[in-house]
Amino acid sequence: MKIKINLNDMKFRYDIYQMFNIFYTFDDIDFVEEDEEYKIFITEDSIEFSLKKKDYNKVKSLLGDNKKEIIKKFIFENLSNITGEKYPWGTLVGIRPSKIAFRLLKEGKSDEDIIEYFKNTYDSSKDKAELCIEVAKREEEFVNKDENSISIYVGMPFCPTRCLYCSFASNPIKGCEKLVDPYLEALSYEIDKIKEYVESKNISIETVYFGGGTPTAVNDIQFHNILKRVYNSFVKNKNIKEFTVECGRPDSITEKKLLSMKEFNVSRISINPQSMNDNTLKEIGRHHSVLDVKEKFNLARKLGFNNINMDIIVGLPKENYSNIKRTCEEIKLLNPESLTVHGMSIKRASRLHENIILNKEVNIPNQDELNTMYNETKYLAKELNMNPYYMYRQKNMVGNMENVGFSKEGMECIYNIEMIEDKQSIIALGADAVSKVVFLREDRIERFANVKDVREYVKRVEEMVKGKIQLLDTLYK
């Protein structure tokens, strides 16, 4: 469906678009000059909102300290009245809402003050404000305070298959086998050069995260060799706090790969089913079963892994409350140390978004059912004695919800916290990896992105290394 909006003052276009996008996520939102269905007229001291088809007209005064936020709340409230939809985050569209609570706590605000702030400023519900407060309080003991402390991210841009919802640099391995060895060679070069740089500057490494894609998508020998290089470069004799490998897909995990991870002191792994329903796994393009998830999880346990994370997604196509309940029941029996709950996000580069554009039936749950499904994951976390420790939001999430990491006490992923809070430099290696240099004293961040395409990365890896080091030199002079 096309949503056409007649807006007289285009400097507020982006903010108004964001409000409409909450309610009409899958629709084409356009601003036009004609007298269309939605009309928004803004003056110095008032805003008028009209909906022609329903003979709907509301006016509000713009007298106040923050004109932009008043406009956003007014649009949000009217769209909520028109659609009947209630979105608990209100007008808040930022990806890191816990940072707001973190800042307010630092200013000495009480929990009640922060809840009131979220309500008055964003029309956010009490439970969302409380979630931000709880996360912020748990993050406080981990958040980096030293410019000389960094984390390392290593990316593997291959997967067994490409999931329906995926927009990352994750190339199906069967069609890219000839690219794997050249990629690993280029990645090894980048690892070696960054190792040299880190050691020459006497930089302290706090955590190492090997993600993707799916790091275990390559064969056993390739995985062993690249993991050994990561270990020797960034882990061995470095006294790091955490070494994570995002194993991800059960169909890419083998006993030999798990043994390699034990050999090279990997302290935390992720085994990510996304759903514990076989029909859903088939629907989203995963070539593994629920039984495969259980078998690989139990194998990892048998081999001595005592910090395992599992990812699930709320709002997957054709899933409803009974499906998420089954997923939670199965994960409860496995009893992982942490759980990451993602809300389904419709990324423009995904096949799922293409299906929506082509008007194919995707069967996304409605808002009330999504709320119930999210609550089921919260009950699961509570039953597993987990608490929320980090969170973030994405654009175009069904139900306008959030992604939350839960963990048992002492099993928090430090890398996730540092990444979300933007207080630590992250040196990121591999195709589509984005390095982040944090200037703590200046409260400033600079980024350097490696090229996304694997072939281009292989050709231009020396250029990527040079550009990254030039940026790092502005901090580590």
Side-chain angles (χ1 to χ4, degrees):
M1 186 170 78
K2 185 178 281 291
I3 304 294
K4 294 184 178 181
I5 306 165
N6 184 347
L7 172 65
N8 72 309
D9 191 340
M10 296 301 282
K11 73 181 178 186
F12 296 104
R13 181 185 186 280
Y14 177 79
D15 301 295
I16 290 171
Y17 173 86
Q18 291 296 334
M19 295 304 99
F20 271 82
N21 194 51
I22 291 172
F23 294 87
Y24 303 107
T25 306
F26 307 130
D27 297 317
D28 186 10
I29 301 168
D30 196 16
F31 289 84
V32 296
E33 294 183 0
E34 302 87 33
D35 185 21
E36 289 296 341
E37 181 178 3
Y38 293 96
K39 186 174 182 180
I40 300 169
F41 192 81
I42 301 171
T43 67
E44 275 300 310
D45 54 13
S46 70
I47 176 171
E48 180 180 1
F49 180 100
S50 302
L51 176 58
K52 188 193 300 182
K53 287 184 179 178
K54 293 191 176 182
D55 194 26
Y56 184 96
N57 185 268
K58 297 288 182 180
V59 179
K60 184 177 180 66
S61 167
L62 290 181
L63 298 177
D65 294 334
N66 196 329
K67 189 173 183 178
K68 183 183 292 187
E69 290 301 331
I70 295 172
I71 290 172
K72 286 165 65 176
K73 279 189 70 175
F74 180 65
I75 298 298
F76 179 87
E77 289 164 0
N78 280 285
L79 290 175
S80 184
N81 289 335
I82 291 165
T83 64
E85 299 285 357
K86 306 297 180 185
Y87 292 100
W89 281 107
T91 65
L92 213 165
V93 295
I95 65 173
R96 293 174 171 89
S98 60
K99 291 179 73 172
I100 299 168
F102 193 89
R103 171 178 58 80
L104 293 172
L105 285 169
K106 286 290 186 185
E107 293 174 2
K109 304 295 186 188
S110 68
D111 291 6
E112 292 73 21
D113 291 336
I114 297 171
I115 291 167
E116 191 69 15
Y117 179 86
F118 271 81
K119 174 63 179 174
N120 293 339
T121 307
Y122 308 111
D123 209 14
S124 299
S125 68
K126 181 181 179 182
D127 68 309
K128 295 305 179 188
E130 289 174 336
L131 172 62
C132 289
I133 293 167
E134 186 174 2
V135 167
K137 287 180 177 179
R138 292 197 79 200
E139 287 179 333
E140 189 170 12
E141 64 181 287
F142 296 100
V143 172
N144 179 60
K145 300 174 180 66
D146 180 5
E147 277 188 339
N148 201 54
S149 175
I150 67 163
S151 285
I152 299 285
Y153 174 86
V154 181
M156 181 71 75
F158 303 107
C159 273
T161 59
R162 187 176 180 84
C163 294
L164 182 68
Y165 51 78
C166 183
S167 66
F168 294 125
S170 52
N171 306 279
I173 193 76
K174 284 190 177 180
C176 302
E177 288 178 347
K178 291 182 179 179
L179 290 176
V180 175
D181 281 334
Y183 176 77
L184 293 176
E185 184 177 341
L187 180 60
S188 296
Y189 171 85
E190 189 173 19
I191 289 171
D192 291 347
K193 292 299 181 183
I194 295 304
K195 172 185 181 289
E196 291 174 9
Y197 183 85
V198 168
E199 291 180 349
S200 72
K201 299 292 185 178
N202 199 29
I203 299 169
S204 173
I205 300 173
E206 183 180 33
T207 73
V208 176
Y209 193 102
F210 192 5
T214 306
T216 52
V218 298
N219 67 40
D220 291 350
I221 295 172
Q222 291 166 332
F223 179 76
H224 181 276
N225 290 341
I226 195 66
L227 190 66
K228 181 179 180 180
R229 190 175 292 268
V230 173
Y231 170 77
N232 286 334
S233 300
F234 306 125
V235 180
K236 186 178 181 181
N237 300 324
K238 296 291 194 299
N239 196 32
I240 71 168
K241 294 180 181 177
E242 175 184 274
F243 183 15
T244 296
V245 174
E246 193 173 358
C247 303
R249 300 271 292 266
D251 45 338
S252 67
I253 300 170
T254 65
E255 184 171 3
K256 285 186 177 180
K257 286 170 184 166
L258 288 169
L259 288 171
S260 292
M261 287 182 263
K262 290 301 292 184
E263 179 182 352
F264 298 121
N265 292 348
V266 173
S267 59
R268 181 180 180 274
I269 64 172
S270 288
I271 298 174
N272 302 332
Q274 313 303 11
S275 171
M276 295 293 269
N277 296 273
D278 283 327
N279 288 341
T280 302
L281 294 174
K282 184 177 179 180
E283 177 74 21
I284 63 177
R286 288 193 155 223
H287 294 174
H288 66 81
S289 66
V290 171
L291 181 60
D292 293 330
V293 176
K294 296 176 183 178
E295 287 179 346
K296 295 302 167 64
F297 185 96
N298 290 326
L299 176 60
R301 275 281 190 255
K302 180 182 175 183
L303 294 175
F305 287 94
N306 60 6
N307 191 351
I308 305 177
N309 173 74
M310 302 188 83
D311 282 12
I312 60 175
I313 298 177
V314 175
L316 286 167
K318 298 185 180 179
E319 283 218 336
N320 54 30
Y321 172 72
S322 65
N323 297 115
I324 205 73
K325 186 172 178 61
R326 185 179 302 113
T327 291
C328 291
E329 288 169 350
E330 295 283 7
I331 288 178
K332 181 182 175 183
L333 293 173
L334 293 173
N335 193 20
E337 282 65 45
S338 58
L339 173 73
T340 308
V341 179
H342 296 272
M344 183 74 232
S345 179
I346 313 296
K347 299 294 185 66
R348 293 192 179 276
S350 68
R351 289 190 292 118
L352 182 57
H353 185 264
E354 291 175 10
N355 289 348
I356 291 170
I357 294 298
L358 295 171
N359 293 318
K360 292 184 179 179
E361 191 174 6
V362 294
N363 293 314
I364 300 295
N366 64 36
Q367 185 62 38
D368 287 342
E369 188 160 24
L370 282 169
N371 291 342
T372 306
M373 293 164 78
Y374 265 94
N375 285 336
E376 192 66 29
T377 67
K378 288 163 62 177
Y379 300 146
L380 169 63
K382 187 174 182 180
E383 289 178 330
L384 291 174
N385 294 316
M386 295 180 184
N387 294 303
Y389 74 95
Y390 93 109
M391 66 168 296
Y392 66 101
R393 304 182 67 219
Q394 295 168 277
K395 292 182 179 179
N396 300 330
M397 293 181 75
V398 296
N400 194 39
M401 300 301 267
E402 70 279 339
N403 304 320
V404 184
F406 298 91
S407 79
K408 296 180 180 180
E409 191 69 33
M411 295 297 183
E412 301 86 354
C413 178
I414 300 170
Y415 173 85
N416 285 338
I417 294 172
E418 301 292 21
M419 173 58 75
I420 290 300
E421 284 303 316
D422 284 336
K423 296 296 183 182
Q424 184 179 73
S425 294
I426 311 286
I427 303 181
L429 317 178
D432 201 30
V434 181
S435 295
K436 176 171 59 178
V437 179
V438 178
F439 300 79
L440 282 176
R441 283 167 287 187
E442 303 171 33
D443 194 23
R444 177 169 65 89
I445 298 172
E446 297 285 345
R447 291 177 172 83
F448 182 89
N450 283 357
V451 293
K452 183 173 184 175
D453 182 79
V454 173
R455 292 178 180 83
E456 282 298 302
Y457 171 78
V458 170
K459 289 179 185 176
R460 299 170 55 188
V461 65
E462 293 183 22
E463 173 192 333
M464 300 294 102
V465 170
K466 183 178 179 181
K468 190 176 288 115
I469 287 176
Q470 284 179 344
L471 173 57
L472 288 165
D473 276 342
T474 63
L475 178 59
Y476 302 106
K477 297 175 182 177

